[in-house]
Amino acid sequence: MTGPAASSPKEIRIQYYALLREERGLSDETLMTEAITPRELYAWLKAQHGFSLSSDRLRVAVNNSFSEWEQPLQTNDTVVFIPPVAGG
Amino acid sequence: MADSQRSYFALSESKLDIKKLKQELENAHAGALVTFEGWVRNHNEGQPVERLDYEAFETLAETEGNQIIQEALARFEIDDAICLHRTGRLIIGDCAVWVGVTAAHRDAAFQAARYIIDDIKTRLPIWKKEHYKNGEAVWVNCQQCAHGHIRHEEAIHLHARDSQLASSPTQRVAINETEYYQRQVILPQIGADGQRKLQEARVLVVGAGGLGSSALLHLAGAGVGQIGICEFDCLEVSNLHRQILYSAADVGQSKASLAAKRLHEFNPNIRVVVHAEKLESTGLAPLLEQYDLILDCTDTISTRLMMNDAAVMLQKPLIQAGVYQYEGQIHLIAPGMGGCLRCQWPDNMEPDAPGTCMQSGVLGAVPGLFGTLQAMEAIKWLVGLPTPLSDHVLILDLLSYQQHLIRRTSQPDCSVCGRFHEQQLDHQLTQERLAEVPTEESDSVWQLIFTGAPLRLTQFTLIDVNESREHSPIPDLTVQNIPFSRFELDHPPPLDKEKQYLLYCSKGVRSAHLVRELRKRGFTNVFALAGGQAKQDLAELRKLELEKANLYYVRH
């Protein structure tokens, strides 16, 4: 743990897939955010870009593992919001 | 076998070479090869599909896919398992996913293959975009097509594979609570008030087997706000006939997680907490403290006695049931009511006396009924309805319907609950001996004496009314210092109506005065330490309380 989860800006990398990628218009971006948790981050992104999916239909992965929505973000984390899957 | 070299999961951008994959699995030991192919279909609710685009979050899909393969190797008696999943563009008739499993016997191979494909479909971050002949395209499960249907392949559900996921699913069906409980709320004995009591209750169910299945379902249906499930076993085929929470497809998985998932599906508005651990005496107190009521749905006498002792010590009500072939018993063990199990069985019994289900046999309907009775008694307790079980044990034979309600009384010399009985008497005697404290008859209610149990210091918020120079902290206790000289009776410090406060000082005189005056002003949740610190050393008392809790652990 590198420090308290205060709302200081953190550099976060976000990868987009499938519908989210189409709605965002790109597959990858890095931004500074004050969001403390993935939930806050998604809320902000959704408001900014008008995503059609609400967070209760998504899962979230941080640094290539499934994570919890309330797990505090650390600087340099890579976050992926996962729309409803349809493999198989 | 978990150390299989041939087993893996991989993504493939190009067409799958199924012949080659089968060759990879060839193995002289295996008596069975089961394969599954997922094909691209040409239809979707009337719209002809032209092609599909599969997209994957590759690193996570590969990690998770290999994880699923490892899980299959661990849970089933198989030799090897391979799964390949396509990415990129596919057309009608293409194979999108291939699963191959080898095993000595076909049963395990079929089950493992099923497990793998089911989990691949629900867990892997892979998406599919369907392109229709009319030029439209939708992301399956995410978007609506022109006809207004959301393209659903399968209902999305999460496998609760560990306790964290079980207690906070990210996918939840929205159900109107008022409508859910409507039929029970109109009962005069329940009403909105009773429903609220159920919603605020925290009930722990120990054992998610034959008894627990029924108990859990009916507690969930009634709207108990928080249900804890304590169960460490995995589902076996021979459980299914009587453990109605589970499905045949779930064999091999953790019962606690399965039960939690089932309860979520049944009532999305309650909170379910999984304790997937074997109950040991050292973990009991912290676990039971988190709940208001405990249901014992276990099947061994030694566990039952352990739970009985813990519940009495911690002053938690306990509802126990046990079945033997076609007959069963149900007990309500609660503070101040009809004694406890030790009154009847003072010594630890032999582990296997009376027989377990495995030895003596049982029909599912028997624990099914008694588990339901446990839920019924729990609801009665939580809502405040009277019950003969407060001082009777119910024995019911399902062959003859002979019913016995047998009176239970607490044995004064019971090694577990009898002690408290003695201490209640002790308490009154000591009161009379405390002549130094000026008391009137009515004072005895709020002048408290602590002897280690049943009254405990931690039930109170402690306020030291000594002057600050006399005040000192007490190890293992949180204490507030509000000196007597600063205590304004007409503007007292904020007192939470839901809490109980214990005021003390060095000799007990100042605290008694404050409590007497506060009570005259309508604060009935304040108490005084009889005789003050001079007569009752709080540090010693706290140490004694902690020791008593530990003594209990040593016994078992």
Side-chain angles (χ1 to χ4, degrees):
Chain A
M1 288 296 249
T2 48
S7 56
S8 51
K10 294 172 281 288
E11 188 172 283
I12 300 286
R13 183 173 172 217
I14 305 169
Q15 291 177 328
Y16 297 101
Y17 289 92
L19 181 59
L20 279 177
R21 179 177 49 73
E22 286 181 1
E23 287 182 343
R24 180 66 188 93
L26 38 83
S27 53
D28 207 307
E29 66 178 329
T30 302
L31 42 72
M32 295 299 287
T33 178
E34 287 187 0
I36 296 178
T37 61
R39 189 182 298 283
E40 277 183 25
L41 177 59
Y42 188 75
W44 184 83
L45 289 167
K46 182 170 188 288
Q48 283 286 104
H49 305 299
F51 293 146
S52 55
L53 292 166
S54 68
S55 62
D56 61 0
R57 298 202 62 205
L58 306 176
R59 277 185 281 168
V60 63
V62 177
N63 300 333
N64 291 321
S65 336
F66 287 115
S67 176
E68 301 284 331
W69 283 97
E70 315 304 333
Q71 185 68 27
L73 292 169
Q74 318 258 6
T75 200
N76 292 325
D77 275 348
T78 299
V79 179
V80 178
F81 298 105
I82 296 174
V85 302
Chain B
M1 269 159 258
D3 56 350
S4 154
Q5 306 291 354
R6 278 184 265 246
S7 302
Y8 65 91
F9 170 86
L11 296 170
S12 169
E13 274 182 14
S14 53
K15 193 172 150 99
L16 301 181
D17 184 344
I18 291 173
K19 191 155 164 233
K20 176 168 160 290
L21 291 169
K22 280 163 78 167
Q23 275 171 352
E24 286 183 40
L25 284 171
E26 268 169 22
N27 149 24
H29 170 261
L33 163 68
V34 169
T35 70
F36 168 81
E37 293 178 23
W39 295 347
V40 175
R41 292 190 286 178
N42 68 349
H43 69 276
N44 135 43
E45 286 160 25
Q47 278 260 55
V49 173
E50 195 185 60
R51 66 174 197 277
L52 293 180
D53 290 330
Y54 276 97
E55 184 176 329
F57 171 12
E58 302 205 349
T59 41
L60 185 54
E62 278 171 359
T63 314
E64 193 70 0
N66 278 292
Q67 170 74 18
I68 292 169
I69 296 288
Q70 291 304 312
E71 287 167 17
L73 288 166
R75 282 170 207 231
F76 304 101
E77 286 287 315
I78 59 176
D79 290 355
D80 303 298
I82 293 178
C83 175
L84 258 87
H85 198 299
R86 282 291 312 275
T87 55
R89 175 150 298 176
L90 273 72
I91 57 172
I92 308 302
D94 273 349
C95 178
V97 58
W98 188 87
V99 177
V101 179
T102 50
H105 304 290
R106 68 184 184 280
D107 228 357
F110 275 116
Q111 284 175 14
R114 181 78 211 223
Y115 178 86
I116 293 167
I117 185 60
D118 281 356
D119 274 44
I120 292 288
K121 285 177 85 78
T122 52
R123 286 160 61 178
L124 257 51
I126 298 180
W127 303 275
K128 180 161 80 181
K129 190 168 191 185
E130 278 182 348
H131 294 259
Y132 305 113
K133 288 201 155 52
N134 66 6
E136 281 170 25
V138 296
W139 286 100
V140 173
N141 293 339
C142 300
Q143 282 181 304
Q144 289 172 294
C145 56
H147 294 250
H149 307 292
I150 291 199
R151 188 62 190 94
H152 271 290
E153 288 247 307
E154 296 198 2
I156 296 166
H157 61 276
L158 284 177
H159 285 227
R161 54 188 177 95
D162 57 49
S163 56
Q164 279 114 3
L165 279 179
S167 57
S168 55
T170 56
Q171 199 79 25
R172 199 186 284 267
V173 173
I175 291 279
N176 180 296
E177 278 194 81
T178 314
E179 239 189 294
Y180 195 99
Y181 304 118
Q182 188 202 35
R183 296 293 199 276
Q184 66 189 39
V185 165
I186 59 182
L187 285 166
Q189 294 83 356
I190 307 291
D193 216 46
Q195 193 60 50
R196 186 188 44 83
K197 288 179 184 160
L198 290 169
Q199 200 277 321
E200 288 170 1
R202 303 165 301 165
V203 178
L204 177 67
V205 176
V206 181
L211 290 165
S213 288
S214 293
L216 284 167
L217 282 169
H218 283 292
L219 289 174
V224 169
Q226 179 170 318
I227 299 178
I229 305 176
C230 182
E231 172 61 71
F232 64 93
D233 241 335
C234 290
L235 185 66
E236 292 170 30
V237 173
S238 61
N239 293 157
L240 288 166
H241 77 122
R242 67 188 185 280
Q243 301 188 9
I244 62 177
L245 267 181
Y246 308 110
S247 305
D250 299 332
V251 167
Q253 294 182 52
S254 146
K255 280 162 71 166
S257 306
L258 289 167
K261 180 169 154 232
R262 175 75 189 100
L263 291 187
H264 273 308
E265 286 168 1
F266 178 42
N267 188 348
N269 289 316
I270 61 171
R271 191 171 133 76
V272 180
V273 180
V274 164
H275 306 279
E277 60 228 25
K278 192 165 167 56
L279 210 56
E280 305 283 358
S281 54
T282 44
L284 260 183
L287 176 60
L288 266 51
E289 290 279 29
Q290 299 171 49
Y291 292 91
D292 306 313
L293 169 64
I294 323 291
L295 260 59
D296 178 354
C297 300
T298 59
D299 58 3
T300 55
I301 277 282
S302 55
T303 318
R304 298 221 182 107
L305 289 172
M306 182 169 74
M307 291 196 62
N308 172 81
D309 296 356
V312 173
M313 289 283 254
L314 297 167
Q315 302 270 282
K316 298 280 179 186
L318 173 67
I319 298 173
Q320 279 206 350
V323 308
Y324 178 70
Q325 297 190 332
Y326 305 99
E327 172 188 299
Q329 298 187 6
I330 175 166
H331 296 251
L332 166 64
I333 295 154
M337 293 178 175
C340 73
L341 278 192
R342 292 278 186 192
C343 298
Q344 296 161 48
W345 286 306
D347 308 309
N348 284 327
M349 294 190 69
E350 287 305 307
D352 291 319
T356 58
C357 290
M358 191 157 64
Q359 297 153 334
S360 45
V362 70
L363 272 175
V366 181
L369 175 61
F370 282 89
T372 302
L373 289 176
Q374 283 180 286
M376 184 64 205
E377 283 304 305
I379 293 164
K380 282 155 77 176
W381 175 270
L382 295 171
V383 168
L385 295 174
T387 174
L389 297 194
S390 57
D391 56 358
H392 291 81
V393 74
L394 171 65
I395 302 178
L396 181 56
D397 177 340
L398 294 188
L399 284 178
S400 63
Y401 291 129
Q402 279 268 14
Q403 178 194 301
H404 307 274
L405 266 175
I406 300 177
R407 251 209 109 96
R408 265 173 37 213
T409 44
S410 62
Q411 299 302 311
D413 58 353
C414 172
S415 59
V416 172
C417 70
R419 266 195 286 151
F420 300 142
H421 201 71
E422 267 167 36
Q423 275 156 359
Q424 304 277 25
L425 298 173
D426 244 355
H427 178 206
Q428 275 160 1
L429 287 171
T430 324
Q431 277 279 63
E432 284 152 29
R433 273 183 239 136
L434 278 179
E436 277 167 66
V437 181
T439 56
E440 300 136 22
E441 265 319 299
S442 53
D443 280 3
S444 55
V445 169
W446 51 264
Q447 291 271 23
L448 298 184
I449 297 170
F450 291 84
T451 50
L455 265 187
R456 290 186 304 148
L457 291 169
T458 45
Q459 288 169 239
F460 298 87
T461 301
L462 294 161
I463 301 182
D464 181 352
V465 303
N466 282 313
E467 297 307 308
S468 16
R469 62 178 183 283
E470 299 168 279
H471 167 72
S472 54
I474 303 180
D476 294 313
L477 279 177
T478 313
V479 163
Q480 233 190 319
N481 180 216
I482 305 179
F484 181 82
S485 59
R486 308 259 210 86
F487 206 112
E488 290 179 67
L489 282 164
D490 292 315
H491 302 281
L495 295 172
D496 187 340
K497 269 198 285 270
E498 305 295 316
K499 294 197 177 148
Q500 297 181 113
Y501 294 86
L502 180 70
L503 276 60
Y504 67 92
C505 59
S506 49
K507 298 243 185 61
V509 177
R510 288 171 287 174
S511 49
H513 172 78
L514 287 175
V515 171
R516 195 177 300 120
E517 292 300 311
L518 283 168
R519 282 182 162 255
K520 280 192 203 154
R521 286 160 172 74
F523 295 99
T524 51
N525 54 340
V526 294
F527 302 84
L529 185 70
Q533 285 169 300
K535 291 279 173 201
Q536 303 191 64
D537 182 334
L538 289 172
E540 280 303 312
L541 279 176
R542 182 66 185 137
K543 223 172 110 210
L544 178 62
E545 269 176 28
L546 288 169
E547 266 167 36
K548 278 204 184 251
N550 288 328
L551 253 186
Y552 162 76
Y553 301 150
V554 167
R555 239 146 70 80
H556 292 272

